Amino acid sequence: MRTNDKRVALVTGAGQGIGRGIALRLAQDGFTVVVNDVVADASDLERGAYEVKASIEAAGGAAHVFRADVASAEERAAMVGFVAERFDRLDLLVNNAGVAPKERKDILEAGEESFDRLMAINLRGPYFLTQLVANRMIAWQEQGMVETPRIVFITSISAYTSSPSRGEYCVSKAGLSMAAKLFADRLAEYDIPVIEIRPGIIQTPMTAAVKEKYDELIAEGLLPTKRWGRPDDVAKVIAAFARGDLDYSTGQAIEVGGGFGLRRL
Ligand code: NAD
């Protein structure tokens, strides 16, 4: 059955961390949220995509889980097919899913396997998911199903900051930053705004392994705003974009990093 009276958002990698924060906020703001993740165990309501769905529903919102690997062309197509079949509209795509290298290795030694894995998940996946979604959004717009659909790319401060012990991550995020500009340029004539969000150091399961290191760096003054970022810091910017407040800033990158990117003297 199609239920297309409410705005619909698709958030990739929304089973935990930043994606979870974005999904909860969008649901609170009235979106029906498609919670995508590569891991989704329906019997586990304590963590992962089904916990997010349960939390949204407990707060009176609407959510659906769609398990898919963004690196797989078939699974991307199945996910967009689900959205089309179920809602016949998509108002917001948030390309959030992303991974860090399994092991940090010096750029003089790191191998091609980790490079290929990160390119597939962090760059090729969102690039072609966006291509697929953008074509649908244009069609839905022409049919009057959506007014101003929008697209977000979650990159990182690593899009411009060198970390030679995870070069493949930096390169994948720098590439994704350009993808945001390309789609913003191409889609502006259709009135489909696109923004890039660059999180700084955000407390999530991804950064749990390096928590002590960053605790120290933050205490030593790495960030002008002396605290870790939280998923809701990112979600607030997306909420503003989803409302239409940033539409004329299409193609811009917004850093959510407590001032990390400031040059200081
Ligand atoms: P996380 O590891 O806590 O969560 C990422 C989620 O994405 C997980 O639920 C994971 O299962 C899912 N995922 C992984 N591969 C996937 C795939 N192929 N298809 C679908 N889902 C997949 O990470 P996070 O810290 O919440 O990061 C979210 C995004 O923000 C990532 O793109 C990350 O690179 C970026 N980011 C994070 C930080 C940070 O400090 N945490 C900083 C800058 C950018």
Side-chain angles (χ1 to χ4, degrees):
M1 191 189 68
R2 283 180 182 172
T3 44
N4 58 9
D5 53 328
K6 271 174 76 168
R7 293 194 297 165
V8 179
L10 167 59
V11 185
T12 67
Q16 63 179 33
I18 294 173
R20 177 181 186 275
I22 296 168
L24 295 180
R25 174 63 198 251
L26 291 172
Q28 207 183 322
D29 290 354
F31 281 85
T32 295
V33 182
V34 179
V35 177
N36 156 259
D37 209 285
V38 67
V39 218
D41 175 0
S43 66
D44 190 354
L45 298 182
E46 298 293 313
R47 65 191 67 77
Y50 284 92
E51 179 277 328
V52 177
K53 175 176 150 69
S55 294
I56 288 174
E57 288 172 348
H64 299 260
V65 171
F66 196 92
R67 199 217 66 82
D69 178 351
V70 296
S72 156
E74 270 173 32
E75 295 182 20
R76 286 193 300 269
M79 179 158 68
V80 176
F82 165 79
V83 171
E85 178 62 29
R86 185 78 190 229
F87 308 106
D88 207 15
R89 69 186 288 172
L90 186 64
D91 299 78
L92 181 69
L93 166 65
V94 183
N95 286 298
N96 166 77
V99 290
K102 284 180 182 157
E103 210 186 327
R104 290 189 179 206
K105 277 197 181 162
D106 188 283
I107 193 168
L108 294 178
E109 284 159 15
E112 293 191 25
E113 202 178 309
S114 178
F115 186 95
D116 289 347
R117 173 173 172 265
L118 263 68
M119 292 305 145
I121 299 171
N122 293 1
L123 182 55
R124 198 184 67 218
Y127 186 95
F128 285 104
L129 177 62
T130 300
Q131 182 191 67
L132 201 59
V133 162
N135 280 303
R136 293 276 196 162
M137 282 177 165
I138 292 166
W140 279 317
Q141 228 178 10
E142 279 168 7
Q143 294 157 14
M145 308 301 288
V146 288
E147 202 172 320
T148 307
R150 299 179 176 87
I151 298 172
V152 180
F153 287 88
I154 303 289
T155 65
S156 170
I157 50 172
S158 297
Y160 68 90
T161 304
S162 162
S163 300
S165 63
R166 48 180 188 137
E168 65 275 55
Y169 183 77
C170 299
V171 171
S172 72
K173 292 298 187 179
L176 195 63
S177 173
M178 176 49 80
K181 294 177 182 64
L182 291 163
F183 281 107
D185 182 12
R186 185 66 182 88
L187 297 175
E189 72 175 269
Y190 297 101
D191 196 17
I192 302 180
V194 178
I195 58 158
E196 173 192 352
I197 295 181
R198 293 179 177 162
I201 300 168
I202 314 291
Q203 201 149 19
T204 70
M206 180 186 270
T207 46
V210 283
K211 183 171 180 309
E212 277 172 26
K213 175 185 161 181
Y214 285 130
D215 279 346
E216 250 174 62
L217 289 172
I218 292 169
E220 286 164 6
L222 175 71
L223 306 177
T225 305
K226 288 193 184 305
R227 68 162 174 85
W228 280 77
R230 297 182 298 259
D232 72 288
D233 291 314
V234 178
K236 281 177 196 166
V237 179
I238 295 194
F241 179 63
R243 276 198 305 271
D245 292 358
L246 306 173
D247 286 353
Y248 198 60
S249 299
T250 193
Q252 296 303 303
I254 298 172
E255 184 162 307
V256 184
F260 172 87
L262 290 173
R263 283 176 194 270
R264 288 187 283 166
L265 198 59

